[in-house]
Amino acid sequence: MERLQKVIANSGYTSRRKAEELIQKGKVKVNGNVIYELGTKVSNTDEIEIDGNVLQKEEQKVYFLLYKPRGVVTTTNDDKQRKTVVDLIDTQMRIYPIGRLDYDTTGILLLTNDGVLANALMHPKNQIDKVYIAKVKGLIGKEQIRALQMGVVIDGKSTSKAKARIKKYDKKTDTSIVELTIHEGRNHQVKKMFEAIGYTVLKLKREQISFLNLVGLKSGEYRMLSPKEVKKLYYEVSKEI
Ligand code: URA
């Protein structure tokens, strides 16, 4: 027997906090009865319904590491019928992306049906490093790098401390390549951080999430995580929350 909100969160439907809100709002039924009590325990034979949808029980957990190409949306299904990251993966399992990369951003993206790991990795408190390589218009100076490191204001709130370093300049094309390591995951964060210091991102690639990288993969390719890697990811998130 497990607590209702935990079972909902574990299914990947939403976070535990949101699950609690849904219960308190009377949106959750167990075996046809509306449940308001947060401590209610359920077993895996109970049928849970949220807003009229029966919660699917995913038994086997799967984990994919995708090298996302440009021109693909990070969602499970796009109302404009564009290709999604889930379309690139050959599986019968109901997987979804952990976090988001923009349509024109490339690089490492994890997809899973493991709601516990997905929620933990996306938790705002987690300190999982994500490494981005940005090609920006203009030549970046030390002061701007320092600003990125110390935090810049985006959407009215300062970003946390970050790691930033210039990888390359190209005076001819008037562009710079910057490596930026952040652990937050705010909307369009990298592009907005450069915008805040007066630069436009021309190309963006995420090279690393924690200890995971793109070695051995070409754009559009994917692989499954090994059980050891999954265990290590769990360890990384447990340190933080
Ligand atoms: N920051 C962005 O601006 N875009 C991404 O796709 C990821 C991080």
Side-chain angles (χ1 to χ4, degrees):
M1 299 286 275
E2 287 214 88
R3 289 171 154 246
L4 181 55
Q5 60 267 39
K6 188 171 174 195
V7 175
I8 296 172
N10 288 3
S11 77
Y13 187 90
T14 186
S15 67
R16 192 172 317 187
R17 195 172 48 76
K18 295 247 170 68
E20 288 175 357
E21 281 173 24
L22 290 168
I23 295 168
Q24 284 168 327
K25 283 185 188 152
K27 306 246 182 214
V28 180
K29 283 184 186 171
V30 175
N31 303 327
N33 302 313
V34 178
I35 299 290
Y36 294 97
E37 194 62 47
L38 286 182
T40 304
K41 299 231 169 141
V42 289
S43 77
N44 57 8
T45 56
D46 288 322
E47 186 181 83
I48 301 166
E49 214 179 297
I50 305 171
D51 263 344
N53 302 310
V54 174
L55 198 71
Q56 298 298 316
K57 291 192 189 86
E58 298 277 6
E59 301 298 347
Q60 192 199 344
K61 301 296 179 212
V62 287
Y63 308 86
F64 296 96
L65 186 165
L66 169 71
Y67 185 157
K68 178 194 172 295
R70 274 169 175 251
V72 179
V73 265
T74 307
T75 173
T76 46
N77 109 49
D78 185 49
D79 48 15
K80 292 186 206 136
Q81 315 301 323
R82 290 174 298 182
K83 193 173 232 183
T84 75
V85 287
V86 175
D87 294 335
L88 298 176
I89 294 179
D90 185 17
T91 179
Q92 298 300 316
M93 306 299 276
R94 212 167 44 98
I95 55 167
Y96 43 85
I98 304 180
R100 195 186 305 179
L101 289 179
D102 295 334
Y103 189 68
D104 59 352
T105 300
T106 62
I108 180 168
L109 183 74
L110 299 176
L111 298 101
T112 186
N113 57 351
D114 180 347
V116 176
L117 186 66
N119 285 324
L121 280 169
M122 289 191 288
H123 195 285
K125 274 206 200 123
N126 95 42
Q127 303 277 311
I128 302 290
D129 276 347
K130 288 148 227 151
V131 182
Y132 291 90
I133 306 293
K135 181 179 184 182
V136 301
K137 187 70 191 157
L139 303 179
I140 289 242
K142 285 210 176 94
E143 294 220 336
Q144 284 92 6
I145 289 294
R146 183 106 187 108
L148 293 173
Q149 290 167 343
M150 299 306 291
V152 293
V153 175
I154 61 172
D155 301 325
K157 195 171 164 258
S158 179
T159 56
S160 302
K161 283 213 163 68
K163 288 182 208 143
R165 67 183 183 97
I166 302 167
K167 286 194 80 171
K168 219 160 102 186
Y169 280 131
D170 190 339
K171 288 203 172 128
K172 251 196 244 153
T173 56
D174 187 34
T175 56
S176 316
I177 309 273
V178 179
E179 182 184 276
L180 181 64
T181 305
I182 58 174
H183 53 75
E184 298 164 292
R186 291 162 63 181
N187 222 358
H188 309 300
Q189 178 156 346
V190 175
K191 290 176 186 168
K192 284 183 181 170
M193 284 176 76
F194 280 99
E195 217 171 85
I197 56 162
Y199 289 78
T200 304
V201 172
L202 302 174
K203 265 187 175 179
L204 185 60
K205 178 182 179 188
R206 182 159 66 189
E207 283 214 322
Q208 220 171 309
I209 299 173
S210 190
F211 59 90
L212 295 167
N213 59 37
L214 292 163
V215 170
L217 294 178
K218 295 197 194 88
S219 176
E221 290 182 344
Y222 64 89
R223 67 173 178 88
M224 292 188 97
L225 294 187
S226 69
K228 211 169 160 186
E229 287 172 323
V230 174
K231 209 164 158 192
K232 207 164 162 199
L233 272 181
Y234 264 102
Y235 172 70
E236 292 298 322
V237 292
S238 71
K239 283 200 295 198
E240 266 76 52
I241 334 181

